[in-house]
């Protein structure tokens, strides 16, 4: 090693983002067919070909497809020939991006393709997600994702941190903002509806839908050549909490706060935050954990209440935040992804554009 | 751009058996993790992040089990990543963990892979039907047997080679207290006389189905300096993937495997693997994959791998010992099998492999593959750090 070598980590940016239109069902197409257009889109945005990509990483879950190794066929959409340097996380694509980011930090690659997808339509996603729970004590009771989120919402209300009107306003704002998002599944003025599981109403819950997203990362000068205004990743961190709901304070999200701190989110204010909050009540929790006040534009895309393709919705938050920086609508944005029941695991990324 | 050197300072695995009915999934993984920490003389609080891998979630019937396992692995309040790259996952998981250290994102990382196949039925876990796609043909053996046939035809190998591998690996397993199969009365004749399952693969040339977990503690240069026992240094590591099915695919010697090995050798400065590498733990779930992978990995010329096996070079006392631990043929908790290969390679260069230690093993290869010979992950570990 020579003393001339740069001591700090290298700069890495999101240089392209694409997503599908998110829809209630895509029964007519396979996962490969769903993923291919977004892969072609990000490659076209950068002018790169598959063979130019240094590292590829994807995120998905076998349980949505209802079969083992579902991701092995999605790889066909990448065109992995000649063979590629590639990996996969059984997680939301936001964590695939994290793996790709660390790979680029090592210097082994200068560009990375990250993609993820979720087809929720083949099964009953409320039932499917119960299989995430402790298999011996909890999963046999089949508590579904809405019921668990309702527990969290009720805890928030009991603590005096929100009420049904405030939650309804989160849903209404998200779907109003989504009218500007051509990919969103639910948009416009949608009635709050009846209770699904008290205190959550239809409007507090995400739509069930299919969709995919892709991002390209590039390091240093490479990023500047591929994108007029790269979204530099200033920090990214993720943390997990205990699984059992009984040992967690559901009104708080310490893992989000810690991840944000480690990602540098609190060093300077952000102007935009894309939060992966599938339930309106979870936005309340996240806003508090991330200390976001009304000066921050939260979920201008409509967020997960407008489109929630499971396993892609977190990566889409990073993509949406990056795209705002690309087009000059944001200078410093926070993106958040979550996994597990009631915000068990959380990732925070801080993105910045070059000064204008 | 410089990378932090990565050292393996702790290794732990469970005693592998057909069914660990005495522990939950959480109990199983904690046992391996605890042993790795004990080996490194570290505690849970010394670990900065956890990277966990296993093969399909349908094998246990738990979706994304890392969520449920966060408490058991001391991950609460820490980053936890879950890798899944089919059968190569144990190796890939270790490489993802190694990258966290190499990138200087974390100083000390716990990585673990497991499979508790007795919780469910692995064959049916692989056989969930999907319209318009080829079902796996009666388990993995049905998929791989035609490719073994193709190898035999291409190389002119005699029918006897597969049994030699199985006999060797099962005898090696007798020296490994953690191995699943301990067949004390095994003979070559018994292997040859065992029932034919998927011609040409016989019962005794097939991996078992195991419950088990394997864990490693990976750390940076500073962490290695504090390690109580000799570390194993990662000299090179790589992953490669190619599509499962396409017209140009060579199932006998996939290009992704060759490219992956070439990348590892380049990183480690290996120019002649046969000369520069002392031993190898290779993912051999069916006996014939030893000669096939010997060629794919560059230890033998194309068509010559079976001669290396037949010569005895790959025996424990040969000049290129392969699968000293007994290999996948003796122990196969699928998601953990790749990591066991990586960990056994590290044990060898640390001089900690006990009765199946190869004298003077200084550079050892760990290898894993998965899917339809589609995903590859490998690392080469050494007894001295990469810079010296």
């Amino acid at each position: 090693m020579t003393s001339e070598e740069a001591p700090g980590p290298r700069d890495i940016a999101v240089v392209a983002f694409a997503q599908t239109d998110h829809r209630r069902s895509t029964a007519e197409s396979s996962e490969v067919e769903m993923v291919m257009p977004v892969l072609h889109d990000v490659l076209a945005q950068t002018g790169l070909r598959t063979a130019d990509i240094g590292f590829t990483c994807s995120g998905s879950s076998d349980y949505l497809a209802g079969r083992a190794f579902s991701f092995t066929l999605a790889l066909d959409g990448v065109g992995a020939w000649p063979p590629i340097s590639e990996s996969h996380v059984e997680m939301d694509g936001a964590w695939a991006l994290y793996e790709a980011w660390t790979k680029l930090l090592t210097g082994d690659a200068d560009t990375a393709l990250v993609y993820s997808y979720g087809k929720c339509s083949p099964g009953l996603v409320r039932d499917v997600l119960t299989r995430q729970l402790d298999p011996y004590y909890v999963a046999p009771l089949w508590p579904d994702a809405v019921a668990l989120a309702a527990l969290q919402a009720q805890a928030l209300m009991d603590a005096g941190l929100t009420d049904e009107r405030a939650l309804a306003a989160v849903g209404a704002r998200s779907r109003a903002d989504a009218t500007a998002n051509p990919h969103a599944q639910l948009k416009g003025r949608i009635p709050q509806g009846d209770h699904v599981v008290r205190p959550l109403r239809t409007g507090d819950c995400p739509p069930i839908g299919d969709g995919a997203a892709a991002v390209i990362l590039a390091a240093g000068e490479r990023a500047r050549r591929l994108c007029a205004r790269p979204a530099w990743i200033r920090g990214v961190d993720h943390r997990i909490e205990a699984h059992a709901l009984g040992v967690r304070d559901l009104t708080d999200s310490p893992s989000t706060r810690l991840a944000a701190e480690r990602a540098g989110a609190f060093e300077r204010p952000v102007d935009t935050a894309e939060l992966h909050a599938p339930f309106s009540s979870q936005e309340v929790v996240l806003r508090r954990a991330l200390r976001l006040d009304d000066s921050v534009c939260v979920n201008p895309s409509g967020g997960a209440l407008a489109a929630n393709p499971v396993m892609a919705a977190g990566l889409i938050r990073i993509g949406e935040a990056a795209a705002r920086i690309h087009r000059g609508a944001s200078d410093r944005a926070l993106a958040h992804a979550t996994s597990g029941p009631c915000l068990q695991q959380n990732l925070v990324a801080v993105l910045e554009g070059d000064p204008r | 751009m410089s990378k932090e050197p990565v050292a393996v300072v702790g290794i732990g695995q469970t005693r592998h058996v057909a069914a660990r009915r005495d522990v939950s999934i959480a109990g199983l993984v904690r046992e391996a993790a605890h042993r790795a920490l004990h080996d490194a003389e570290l505690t849970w609080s010394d670990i900065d992040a956890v990277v966990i891998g296993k093969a399909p979630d349908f094998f246990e019937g738990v979706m994304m089990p890392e969520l449920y396992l966060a408490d058991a692995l001391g991950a609460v309040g820490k980053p936890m990543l879950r890798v899944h790259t089919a059968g190569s996952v144990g190796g890939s998981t270790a490489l993802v963990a190694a990258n966290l250290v190499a990138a200087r994102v974390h100083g000390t990382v716990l990585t673990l892979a497991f499979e508790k196949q007795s919780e469910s039925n692995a064959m049916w876990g692989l056989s969930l039907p999907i319209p318009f796609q080829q079902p796996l043909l009666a388990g993995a053996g049905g998929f791989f047997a035609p490719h073994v046939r193709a190898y035999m035809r291409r190389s002119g190998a005699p029918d006897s080679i597969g049994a030699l591998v199985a006999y060797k690996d099962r005898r090696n397993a007798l020296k490994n207290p953690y191995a699943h199969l301990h067949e004390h009365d095994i003979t070559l004749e018994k292997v040859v006389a065992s029932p034919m399952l998927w011609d040409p693969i016989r019962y005794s040339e097939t991996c078992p189905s195991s419950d088990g977990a394997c864990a490693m503690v990976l750390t940076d240069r500073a962490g290695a300096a504090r390690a109580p026992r000799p570390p194993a240094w990662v000299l090179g590591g790589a992953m490669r993937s190619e599509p499962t099915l396409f017209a140009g695919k060579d199932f006998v010697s996939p290009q992704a495997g060759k490219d992956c090995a070439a990348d590892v050798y380049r990183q480690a400065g290996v120019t002649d693997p046969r000369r520069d590498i002392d031993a190898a733990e290779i993912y051999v779930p069916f006996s014939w994959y030893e000669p096939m992978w010997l060629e794919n990995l560059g230890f033998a010329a194309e068509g010559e791998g079976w001669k290396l096996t037949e010569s005895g070079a790959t025996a424990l006392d040969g000049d290129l010992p392969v699968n000293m631990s007994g290999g996948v043929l003796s122990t196969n908790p699928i998601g953990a099998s790749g990591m066991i290969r990586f960990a056994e390679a590290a044990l060898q260069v640390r001089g900690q492999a006990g009765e199946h230690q190869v004298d003077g093993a200084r550079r050892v290869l760990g290898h894993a593959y998965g899917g339809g010979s589609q995903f590859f992950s490998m690392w080469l570990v050494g007894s001295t750090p990469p810079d010296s």
Side-chain angles (χ1 to χ4, degrees):
Chain A
M1 202 193 304
T2 60
S3 57
E4 281 83 19
E5 262 182 275
R10 61 200 315 220
D11 289 327
I12 293 156
V14 178
V15 296
F17 167 57
Q19 61 183 314
T20 56
D21 291 344
H22 307 293
R23 294 157 48 207
R24 178 61 186 86
S25 174
T26 55
E28 75 287 355
S29 60
S30 70
E31 288 170 342
V32 182
E33 290 167 315
M34 195 171 71
V35 167
M36 275 187 79
V38 296
L39 297 175
H40 287 184
D41 191 342
V42 287
L43 290 168
Q45 287 178 41
T46 54
L48 295 170
R49 295 164 304 157
T50 303
D52 301 325
I53 298 291
F55 182 65
T56 301
C57 197
S58 61
S60 68
S61 169
D62 281 349
Y63 258 73
L64 294 176
R67 59 158 294 174
F69 295 143
S70 83
F71 69 94
T72 65
L73 293 166
L75 188 63
D76 289 355
V78 179
W81 186 260
I84 58 172
S85 174
E86 190 262 348
S87 183
H88 172 262
V89 295
E90 193 82 356
M91 307 177 82
D92 186 288
W95 278 268
L97 181 141
Y98 178 83
E99 185 185 327
W101 174 71
T102 60
K103 179 79 174 176
L104 264 54
L105 280 178
T106 67
D108 283 344
D110 292 332
T111 54
L113 170 64
V114 179
Y115 66 96
S116 66
Y117 58 92
K119 272 182 78 130
C120 299
S121 60
L124 301 170
V125 73
R126 275 176 78 172
D127 287 346
V128 170
L129 289 174
T130 66
R131 304 300 90 192
Q132 282 188 336
L133 303 168
D134 178 320
Y136 305 104
Y137 295 108
V138 186
L141 305 173
W142 295 86
D144 70 44
V146 182
L148 297 177
L151 275 177
Q152 187 170 32
Q154 189 61 53
L156 282 170
M157 288 182 182
D158 292 347
L161 297 170
T162 193
D163 55 34
E164 285 206 35
R165 276 179 57 146
L167 295 187
V170 170
R173 190 209 73 233
S174 298
R175 279 143 190 161
D177 287 349
T179 54
N181 177 357
H183 305 288
Q185 188 178 336
L186 286 187
K187 54 182 95 176
R189 298 171 65 86
I190 293 167
Q192 185 66 357
D194 295 330
H195 284 116
V196 184
V197 180
R198 280 180 193 276
L200 296 178
R201 294 174 183 272
T202 316
D204 294 307
C205 304
I208 295 167
D210 299 352
V215 155
I216 288 181
L217 302 180
E221 279 309 304
R222 197 74 192 274
R224 291 182 204 282
R225 287 202 297 275
L226 294 172
C227 180
R229 191 168 194 250
W232 300 106
I233 299 173
R234 294 303 183 210
V236 51
D237 193 90
H238 59 99
R239 302 280 154 169
I240 196 165
E241 294 179 35
H243 183 64
L245 299 178
V247 300
R248 288 157 59 189
D249 175 1
L250 296 181
T251 66
D252 196 9
S253 184
S255 58
T256 300
R257 190 180 301 111
L258 183 56
E261 196 177 298
R262 295 302 181 104
F266 300 135
E267 288 165 16
R268 289 196 294 120
V270 296
D271 55 47
T272 301
E274 277 284 343
L275 306 180
H276 184 189
F279 297 93
S280 59
S281 43
Q282 293 178 341
E283 184 180 304
V284 176
V285 177
L286 294 169
R287 274 179 181 267
R288 281 165 45 82
L290 293 165
R291 302 174 207 158
L292 300 174
D293 59 28
D294 291 341
S295 70
V296 179
C297 179
V298 172
N299 288 347
S301 66
L305 285 166
N308 189 41
V310 176
M311 299 298 139
L315 181 63
I316 290 169
R317 304 281 74 75
I318 299 174
E320 289 282 5
R324 272 178 80 80
I325 289 169
H326 293 163
R327 58 180 184 259
S330 167
D331 291 321
R332 181 171 157 91
L334 180 151
H336 159 268
T338 195
S339 177
C342 299
L343 303 172
Q344 187 195 346
Q345 189 176 21
N346 295 283
L347 178 147
V348 173
V350 177
L351 307 171
E352 280 184 356
D354 286 326
R356 286 177 288 183
Chain B
M1 193 64 225
S2 70
K3 282 200 287 185
E4 180 72 23
V6 182
V8 184
V9 295
I11 296 172
Q13 56 183 310
T14 58
R15 172 83 208 283
H16 308 287
V17 294
R20 278 293 299 270
R21 301 204 190 283
D22 60 321
V23 288
S24 62
I25 300 171
L28 184 79
V29 297
R30 193 171 169 91
E31 197 174 288
H34 199 265
R35 285 177 183 161
L37 287 172
H38 186 259
D39 184 24
E41 292 184 15
L42 295 175
T43 66
W44 297 102
S45 61
D46 296 312
I47 299 298
D48 300 320
V50 178
V51 184
I52 182 171
K54 64 172 260 52
D57 291 6
F58 284 100
F59 279 3
E60 288 83 8
V62 188
M63 179 186 187
M64 301 163 74
E66 70 279 5
L67 295 165
Y68 142 71
L69 292 172
D71 304 65
L73 290 173
V76 171
K78 296 174 187 175
M80 187 174 197
L81 268 174
R82 159 71 195 288
V83 180
H84 180 8
T85 63
S88 68
V89 65
S92 307
T93 304
L95 292 176
V96 172
N99 272 345
L100 291 174
V101 176
R104 301 193 177 92
V105 173
H106 296 296
T108 303
V109 178
L110 173 70
T111 187
L112 181 139
F114 78 94
E115 208 73 75
K116 197 165 190 296
Q117 296 188 213
S118 67
E119 296 274 330
S120 179
N121 183 313
M123 172 142 160
W124 289 111
L126 280 177
S127 305
L128 296 160
I130 188 161
F132 309 116
Q133 281 173 6
Q134 174 180 295
L136 272 170
L137 307 166
F143 183 86
F144 290 112
H147 309 313
V148 171
R149 274 281 170 220
Y151 172 73
M152 293 168 76
R153 190 172 62 247
R154 258 160 67 165
S155 68
D159 293 356
S160 55
I161 302 300
L164 293 176
V165 175
Y167 178 54
K168 166 182 75 80
D169 285 3
R170 294 273 165 88
R171 273 185 308 153
N172 287 352
L174 295 173
K175 298 179 185 295
N176 176 4
Y178 295 106
H180 174 177
L181 296 182
H182 285 135
E183 299 180 335
H184 293 278
D185 55 351
I186 187 132
T187 63
L188 186 59
E189 292 69 32
K190 282 186 179 176
V191 174
V192 174
S194 68
M196 189 64 83
L197 291 186
W198 306 274
D199 196 347
I201 301 171
R202 294 180 182 278
Y203 177 79
S204 291
E205 297 176 70
T206 306
C207 53
S209 178
S210 316
D211 283 2
C214 180
M216 289 189 282
V217 177
L218 307 182
T219 191
D220 54 17
R221 200 194 296 267
R226 294 190 294 267
R229 275 171 278 280
W233 295 93
V234 180
L235 305 178
M239 294 185 236
R240 284 295 184 282
S241 309
E242 66 183 41
T244 314
L245 301 167
F246 71 106
K249 172 136 181 156
D250 184 350
F251 279 99
V252 171
S253 190
Q255 188 63 39
K258 293 182 188 174
D259 291 359
C260 191
D263 191 358
V264 170
Y265 299 158
R266 179 189 55 77
Q267 293 171 39
V270 167
T271 51
D272 178 358
R274 181 81 173 84
R275 188 194 64 209
D276 298 343
I277 294 173
D278 300 318
E281 281 277 335
I282 299 175
Y283 203 104
V284 177
F286 304 103
S287 61
W288 279 91
Y289 273 86
E290 176 176 303
M292 290 165 72
W293 292 145
L294 285 173
E295 295 173 25
N296 190 247
L297 291 167
F299 289 111
E302 197 170 323
E304 304 283 316
W306 65 269
K307 294 177 186 168
L308 208 55
T309 295
E310 191 179 46
S311 75
T314 60
L316 195 53
D317 57 358
D319 68 355
L320 178 67
V322 172
N323 292 336
M324 301 71 76
S325 68
V328 181
L329 275 177
S330 306
T331 304
N332 190 29
I334 294 178
S337 289
M339 189 171 287
I340 296 170
R341 307 279 73 70
F342 277 43
E344 286 286 349
L347 274 179
Q348 289 285 343
V349 299
R350 296 174 75 204
Q352 305 272 318
E355 277 191 64
H356 61 286
Q357 176 71 44
V358 172
D359 283 342
R362 297 175 56 80
R363 290 203 279 190
V364 179
L365 182 73
H367 162 274
Y369 85 104
S373 299
Q374 174 190 14
F375 301 105
F376 292 85
S377 59
M378 304 171 199
W379 80 4
L380 189 79
V381 285
S383 53
T384 52
D387 288 348
S388 60

